[in-house]
Amino acid sequence: MRVTIKDVSREAGVSIKTVSRVLNNEKYVGAETRARVSAVVERLNFRPSSAARALAGKRSFQVALICDNPSPYYVYEMQSGIRDRCEEAGVRLIAQPYDRQSSRLLDEIEALIESIRIDGLILTPPATDNPAVLALLRARGVPFVRVSPGSDVGVSPSVFIDNRRAAADMTRHLIDLGHSRIGFITGDPDFATSAQRSAGYRDALGDGGIAVDPALIRPGTYGFASGESEAEALLALAQPPTAIFAANDDMAAGVLAVAHRLGVRVPDQLSIAGFDDTPIAGFVWPPLSTVRQPTRQMAYQAADLLLSPGEDASERRELDYAIIARGSTAPVVG
């Protein structure tokens, strides 16, 4: 028979209301009582019914992720991290892809709010900085958390890494290997992270006494194909770069594909670096040196901010990154 909240209440020796408060992660429950109830929930494998919980109160126990990113690996990691936290809270995740160029964008988000009666949203770039989306959510009074916002950081809780400093550190890694002609492929201009990572690249060149060469900076879109096309342009220069740093791993993989096609040896003739440390960084050969962005943990923390709101309505959680050196980068030859 299905375990009910009454069974948990009886086994833990507390009221049904107390069990409900623990399940909903509400305040005013002592640490010892919370631990006892949680232990019983786990032992009995109790899974509360979302429908029953919704009928009992004003919550639907459903949250939505608004995501528009050309990297399937980033999307997967984001969904997985949010789902991990939602499962702990007994909340359902609805992943809503969207087209930021659509004239019906706001209508679609409003329809989501109306039809599903969600308890809150998690926004990823570039929706995280879309003024019209933010205005809509604030006007409707829908709680939301943003991942990697680049503007108006005080209007909501958010989770981020220091993209500018991370990109600077990766560029310094290439400089420390002796590279001075370092190509850079930017990300989609609609993403604040693109400008942040571009600024970090420029910071490191300046710190290293290397002049910025506009010919070595190419506009990408965060997609594999743009990494290919921009790598072809960089490698066709009269003085091609000895290293190329792409603003995400998908584009870096595109650079690597072009190098293989042209017979350019990596890393002997060309070092390649990416950003994110998505699974593709380890699938390609040689595996990519990259900036490890803890995407799954960022997603988990974003969900935690949404499901366990604190006193600070604009809380910002900064996570650490790491420079991961693999086989695609090496000291410059000659």
Side-chain angles (χ1 to χ4, degrees):
M1 296 179 61
R2 180 183 176 88
V3 177
T4 69
I5 193 170
K6 290 182 180 179
D7 297 322
V8 176
S9 168
R10 182 176 58 254
E11 194 75 14
V14 299
S15 68
I16 290 176
K17 180 62 177 176
T18 298
V19 175
S20 178
R21 283 175 173 163
V22 172
L23 293 173
N24 295 332
N25 203 25
E26 295 178 10
K27 302 176 182 178
Y28 313 119
V29 179
E32 181 180 343
T33 300
R34 187 181 298 276
R36 185 166 73 252
V37 172
S38 297
V40 171
V41 168
E42 185 68 24
R43 178 162 52 83
L44 297 182
N45 195 29
F46 175 62
R47 295 294 180 265
S49 163
S50 296
R53 294 163 76 195
L55 288 172
K58 296 181 179 179
R59 296 180 60 192
S60 67
F61 299 94
Q62 299 182 107
V63 299
L65 165 66
I66 304 296
C67 193
D68 177 12
N69 192 292
S71 171
Y73 302 100
Y74 177 90
V75 175
Y76 173 78
E77 291 292 299
M78 188 59 57
Q79 290 179 350
S80 297
I82 296 172
R83 188 167 54 246
D84 289 345
R85 182 64 182 88
C86 284
E87 287 181 353
E88 293 176 3
V91 172
R92 178 180 299 154
L93 168 65
I94 298 169
Q96 178 74 27
Y98 82 102
D99 178 3
R100 62 185 182 276
Q101 306 297 339
S102 172
S103 60
R104 290 184 46 79
L105 171 61
L106 295 183
D107 292 337
E108 292 170 359
I109 293 177
E110 190 149 25
L112 177 68
I113 296 170
E114 289 285 352
S115 62
I116 303 177
R117 199 162 61 86
I118 54 174
D119 294 330
L121 292 99
I122 296 171
L123 306 177
T124 64
T128 196
D129 287 313
N130 186 309
V133 172
L134 301 184
L136 169 64
L137 297 180
R138 296 178 72 184
R140 294 298 302 266
V142 178
F144 62 95
V145 174
R146 297 186 293 160
V147 177
S148 301
S151 61
D152 296 325
V153 295
V155 304
S156 74
S158 60
V159 179
F160 67 102
I161 67 165
D162 191 332
N163 280 277
R164 182 169 183 165
R165 185 159 56 91
D169 284 349
M170 176 52 79
T171 307
R172 290 189 189 100
H173 165 68
L174 297 171
I175 293 172
D176 290 344
L177 292 173
H179 298 279
S180 58
R181 286 191 61 76
I182 302 170
F184 183 71
I185 303 176
T186 68
D188 189 315
D190 285 346
F191 290 65
T193 54
S194 178
Q196 294 163 356
R197 294 172 190 180
S198 296
Y201 163 78
R202 292 172 180 269
D203 289 345
L205 291 183
D207 292 344
I210 301 171
V212 174
D213 183 350
L216 294 178
I217 301 175
R218 301 292 305 181
T221 64
Y222 279 143
F224 180 90
S226 71
E228 288 185 302
S229 60
E230 301 312 323
E232 288 171 352
L234 286 169
L235 295 176
L237 292 173
Q239 286 186 285
T242 61
I244 296 177
F245 175 20
N248 80 341
D249 291 337
D250 287 60
M251 294 192 300
V255 175
L256 184 60
V258 168
H260 288 327
R261 187 164 66 244
L262 296 179
V264 177
R265 297 191 306 278
V266 178
D268 297 339
Q269 294 176 297
L270 177 70
S271 284
I272 301 172
F275 200 114
D276 285 335
D277 199 26
T278 54
I280 196 173
F283 294 161
V284 296
W285 185 261
L288 290 171
S289 294
T290 187
V291 176
R292 175 170 292 163
Q293 175 173 233
T295 305
R296 190 164 185 155
Q297 183 62 19
M298 291 170 69
Y300 181 96
Q301 291 298 327
D304 187 64
L305 281 169
L306 188 63
L307 298 170
S308 308
E311 299 297 326
D312 184 358
S314 60
E315 180 181 352
R316 305 188 72 213
R317 295 184 184 176
E318 180 177 358
L319 276 64
D320 291 333
Y321 63 87
I323 301 299
I324 307 299
R326 297 194 179 103
S328 67
T329 55
V332 67
V333 176

